[in-house]
Amino acid sequence: MSRTFFVVRRRPHRTVALALAASVAMASPAVASTTGDNTEQLRRLARELVAAGAPGVIARIDDGHGHPVEIVEQAPWTRQDHLLTATDEYRMGSNTKTMVATLVLQLVAEGKLTLSDPVEKWLPGKVPNGKAITLRMLLNHTGGLFDYTEDPALRPSIVGRERQRWTSAKLLAVGVKHDPLFAPGTKWSYSNTNYAAIGAVLERATGTSLANLVRDRIARPLGLNHTYYATDSTWRGPYAHGYERDAAHMPPEVPVWFRNFAGTRRHGHVDVSGNDPGWGGAAGAMVSNAQDWARFSTALMSGKLLPAAQLAQMRATLPIDARQPDGPGYGLGIQTAATPCGTFWGHDGGIPGYLTTNITDRAGGRTASVLVSTEFWAEFETDPKLAKATQAFQSAVTCAMFGKPLV
């Protein structure tokens, strides 16, 4: 949803790769700090992020040497709802795409799918021009499909005012009723409809639900006890509460149809953590926590989840910005960018109440996760102060992951 980080978005955006690459570059990192100095700086920056308006912050950084650093800060007014901990579950938004792409590539390795399969093969008659759109195009956002999250039909679900069961097929139908953005394979443009189609293909090819596929192929084998594909608003463990501004405090830049969230009012905010994320579907309905996602990232990038050939296909990237062919890139459900501190891989996500980023190095030996428990300010670029504090914290986290803290 945000232009600073990726989410289940409805508008053009900057991805996490672009945002982090820019913010880290501007920060001019130095290498000569100790681990202790780094941890204290991270805690200070997290406190500044809360002071700038974030209801809560969770971060976990593992530089591959010693014990991971965990940072938790929250605004005092949120404590009557929940005392935030480093192990809390939270909504992952579009980080979901990395896990869904992993499922596709597992089936490719097993010979059940090929990346060159046209979507028409699996979803006959469901996608206009489906013979020309391949699974690879869906996974790397070159399919040209309109983004379903921009359709007015989704607005009541996004703000939690409507509870309906959004299946992959229903979300796909919303997206494809609009004209395509461009001819398949000719451009790159982020669209959640691509992953709605992928979700429908996975269910058709396997005869089972996305929730079961995530559970049986990734969560259980890796022992991810807090990772699941959400099919309703239910949480399975202690969770971070997510908040958005209430209607009276919503910035004027936010359109009227996104100004009135369902949920309990608190300190000029609405607690949106009880709202159903099902409208995110295969594009954004995952729930996890920082520890689980680090284990997933390590398993993925080290080759535990995918054979070498499929991992190489995932890492085959296209430029996010055609004007920067050597700049940040997008592969199959994964992003990458070079920074002065190192080249990271990962994704980000945003769904009301939850702005998340998960990154790792190429081998999966280093991992980092960040949650900021409010998101619409980034979606609509309404809070420069919060944006600046978030970028400063993200920059420090990125460099700390590579053992190169900012000073």
Side-chain angles (χ1 to χ4, degrees), residues 62-64 293-303 311 315 345 359-368 401:
D62 187 346
D63 66 1
W293 210 267
R295 188 178 298 179
F296 165 66
S297 295
T298 296
L300 176 62
M301 301 303 280
S302 66
L311 186 55
R315 290 176 175 151
W345 294 80
I359 59 173
T360 183
D361 63 0
R362 185 176 180 85
R366 302 171 184 266
T367 61
M401 186 187 79

Side-chain angles (χ1 to χ4, degrees), residues 68-82:
V69 173
E70 295 180 335
I71 308 291
V72 179
E73 296 288 342
Q74 71 183 119
W77 60 266
T78 68
R79 291 173 184 163
Q80 57 187 309
D81 293 327
H82 174 66

Side-chain angles (χ1 to χ4, degrees), residues 13 62 86 100 103 124 188 215 224 232 260 263 314 350 371 377 382 400:
H13 60 280
D62 187 346
V100 168
L103 293 172
W188 186 91
R215 181 194 66 196
L224 308 182
D232 56 30
N260 192 15
M314 174 176 268
L371 164 71
W377 64 271
T382 62

